[in-house]
Amino acid sequence: MNNQSDSTAASTYHQVTRKVSVAVIGAGTAGQNAFRQASKTKDDIVIINDGFWTTTCIAVGCMPSKLLIAAADRAHDANHSAEFGIHSSAQIDGKQVMERVRTERSHFESYIEKQVDSWPDHKKIAGRAHINEQGLIEVNDEVIEADKIIVATGSSPFIPEDWTDKLGETLLTSDTVFELPDLPKSMAVVGAGAIGLELAQAFNRLGVEVTLFNRVKKVAGLKDSDISNKAIDCLSRELTMHLGSKINDIGTQAAKGSQGALAFIDYEDSAGETQQWQGEYVLVATGRRNNIEQLGVENLGVELDDKNRPKNLSKKTGQIGDLNVFIVGDANAHIPLLHVASDEGFSAGNMVCDNVKNAYIRPPAVPFSIVFCSPQIINVGKSLPEIEEDEELEHVVGSVSFDNQGRSRVMGVNCGLLHIYGCKKTDRILGASMVGPDAEYIGHILAVAITNDLSIKQLLDTPFYHPTILEGLRTALRDVQHKMKIPFQSQDTQESTS
């Protein structure tokens, strides 16, 4: 892309070595989808990538974490079956656990690598791209002029300032933790979001002494306080958590009686008492940040806010205003989830075709997130604060506890709570939040219902097989239906009749 009206004048500063219709920067989930779709209508296209040519999900995210969780669940079941009359103790081979994580990860990577290998070599450039002041892409020894640019540079773990220097080799992130050759003896996890919760519980179940820190008394970013409190109740039964703690200092110190160093964390607990943790590693899970700051997108006319998020972003296509620039996937920091990145890349790849009006655009997905801890945590649709802030939404909250739900109790996984937010005017589901068994499946059913505008009655008319955990969903839906029949009363009336 060239922002100057006279490309010849621009090239006096940097000699253009290649001109293309479309340049895709980044080859993760969003970038690969964009490249595939754009290639269907454009032949003069190039994809530029710095680093591995797979995806964040496969290399350092969804897949290796789920492989670790799968091993952890096997160990947990073996060690916690006494209530069923099954007495056993798992012998955990840490080296084999980590080796399988990497071996199976390589298996998944091979499919992506095979696909990338099938792309013509002249359309692939391995190197770090920079967009110069003329809007030209500099990479290696090439200067590329592109009519349209799709930015899909992904994200990286956020590490607080100075922590890398202070912790040295004892610092881990979700990008490095799967390279451990063996399971450590002890670990602190800082951050109780999705990544922190999943990895903390998995390592704990595999015999690592884990302590989880979080600055607020919430987990998984839950915005429904009842669900968050229930999640804390369920998870704290097996996981040591210091929620509402403040970290004052962090670093390493010599280990007593042995070589090497131990990491330490000086912190104030929720009661304001000064404490210190010591252990082998500190896994920093304080979120991820988009890789866009040093790219030079401002030279394309893109404005970023104070958190490096692009302004004037189309949530459907990733297009920035009316510019021929598309920022998709984790790079735009909109919703950093794989299925969202996939849809954005697909849509952007279609938008660069000659006839944009006929481009196929995937509609924005219903907000949906899953945390694969045990019990699982899901959020679907609008959050409770969003609903409460909208004065036009008259809502009810349907609820069901899984503490005594039939199949959950049979299986010994009876800890959980589901809230469904129903709209009294439309008989539709606005959103839901849950911690509990089989939450990933209940979440999908609710997402389908919201996507297809199904009413509460239509959902209740579908079969719920007995005995299943999904029967809990029916109970919550019935609670929504029951509360919708109650005539709306003003606060004054409620207080006078209570």
Side-chain angles (χ1 to χ4, degrees), residues 42-287:
K42 299 289 184 181
D43 187 58
D44 57 335
I45 181 173
V46 65
I47 183 167
I48 306 163
N49 187 61
D50 181 35
F52 51 78
W53 285 75
T54 56
T55 67
T56 296
C57 169
I58 289 177
V60 296
C62 319
M63 303 315 287
S65 63
K66 302 311 167 287
L67 285 162
L68 190 74
I69 289 170
D73 288 347
R74 296 291 181 95
H76 181 77
D77 288 344
N79 288 325
H80 296 83
S81 296
E83 66 175 298
F84 298 95
I86 311 298
H87 301 277
S88 64
S89 178
Q91 295 184 6
I92 299 170
D93 185 331
K95 291 182 179 179
Q96 187 176 349
V97 168
M98 299 308 296
E99 182 180 354
R100 181 179 186 269
V101 168
R102 289 188 291 272
T103 299
E104 288 300 310
R105 177 181 64 180
S106 296
H107 173 77
F108 292 118
E109 287 176 334
S110 67
Y111 292 102
I112 302 296
E113 290 166 351
K114 183 178 180 180
Q115 176 179 263
V116 171
D117 288 343
S118 71
W119 298 343
D121 288 339
H122 71 279
K123 295 184 178 181
K124 297 179 292 186
I125 300 176
R128 176 165 294 188
H130 175 73
I131 300 165
N132 66 26
E133 293 179 357
Q134 300 156 247
L136 303 174
I137 302 170
E138 298 180 27
V139 55
N140 302 335
D141 57 354
E142 290 202 61
V143 179
I144 300 170
E145 181 180 335
D147 295 332
K148 296 179 175 68
I149 295 178
I150 300 174
V151 176
T153 46
S155 62
S156 299
F158 170 74
I159 303 173
E161 189 176 359
D162 297 335
W163 281 26
T164 300
D165 292 335
K166 287 185 174 182
L167 289 171
E169 294 182 357
T170 67
L171 184 145
L172 295 171
T173 70
S174 56
D175 279 8
T176 62
V177 68
F178 303 112
E179 308 311 316
L180 286 173
D182 198 351
L183 293 170
K185 293 181 180 179
S186 57
M187 174 188 296
V189 178
V190 180
I195 296 172
L197 273 184
E198 289 181 2
L199 294 180
Q201 186 182 56
F203 278 112
N204 188 70
R205 288 184 165 192
L206 287 166
V208 181
E209 186 179 322
V210 175
T211 303
L212 178 66
F213 294 90
N214 203 47
R215 62 183 178 82
V216 295
K217 293 183 179 181
K218 292 183 179 180
V219 294
L222 286 164
K223 297 179 180 180
D224 184 320
S225 59
D226 289 341
I227 302 297
S228 181
N229 290 336
K230 188 61 181 179
I232 293 169
D233 173 38
C234 297
L235 292 164
S236 62
R237 298 179 188 184
E238 62 175 277
L239 187 60
T240 299
M241 299 191 290
H242 293 302
L243 305 178
S245 59
K246 178 185 176 183
I247 294 178
N248 294 322
D249 195 16
I250 197 165
T252 60
Q253 55 193 22
K256 295 180 180 179
S258 64
Q259 296 181 347
L262 289 177
F264 72 84
I265 297 176
D266 289 335
Y267 66 99
E268 291 179 20
D269 60 24
S270 58
E273 298 291 327
T274 300
Q275 308 281 357
Q276 185 180 80
W277 171 91
Q278 288 186 351
E280 288 188 40
Y281 290 101
V282 175
L283 173 58
V284 180
T286 50

Side-chain angles (χ1 to χ4, degrees), residues 21 28 36 86 147 155 276 293 377 396 406 463:
S21 294
R36 283 195 300 268
I86 311 298
D147 295 332
S155 62
Q276 185 180 80
E293 188 174 11
I377 296 170
V396 299

Side-chain angles (χ1 to χ4, degrees), residues 223-224 366-367 379-398 419-426 428-433 450 480 484 488:
K223 297 179 180 180
D224 184 320
V366 169
N379 289 288
V380 186
K382 292 180 179 293
S383 69
L384 185 57
E386 287 176 321
I387 294 169
E388 291 175 337
E389 289 172 4
D390 191 333
E391 296 179 357
E392 296 183 1
L393 289 178
E394 188 181 331
H395 73 283
V396 299
V397 180
H419 279 179
I420 297 177
Y421 317 126
C423 180
K424 293 182 72 172
K425 292 181 179 179
T426 65
R428 298 300 191 270
I429 296 172
L430 297 169
S433 187
I450 296 173
V480 172
M484 282 181 173
F488 178 74

Side-chain angles (χ1 to χ4, degrees), residues 295-354:
L295 183 60
V297 292
E298 66 277 4
N299 294 320
L300 300 173
V302 177
E303 294 184 51
L304 302 177
D305 65 16
D306 58 355
K307 295 184 179 179
N308 289 323
R309 298 173 300 194
K311 298 180 180 180
N312 303 316
L313 174 79
S314 167
K315 295 180 181 179
K316 290 184 178 181
T317 66
Q319 186 170 10
I320 306 302
D322 58 0
L323 299 174
N324 286 322
V325 183
F326 303 80
I327 303 181
V328 294
D330 287 6
N332 66 35
H334 172 221
I335 301 177
L337 296 174
L338 181 138
H339 67 278
V340 176
S342 177
D343 288 348
E344 290 177 351
F346 180 92
S347 297
N350 278 282
M351 280 291 289
V352 298
C353 68
D354 293 327

Side-chain angles (χ1 to χ4, degrees), residues 359-374:
Y360 180 69
I361 308 301
R362 288 182 178 168
V366 169
F368 182 20
S369 64
I370 305 174
V371 183
F372 292 90
C373 53
S374 181

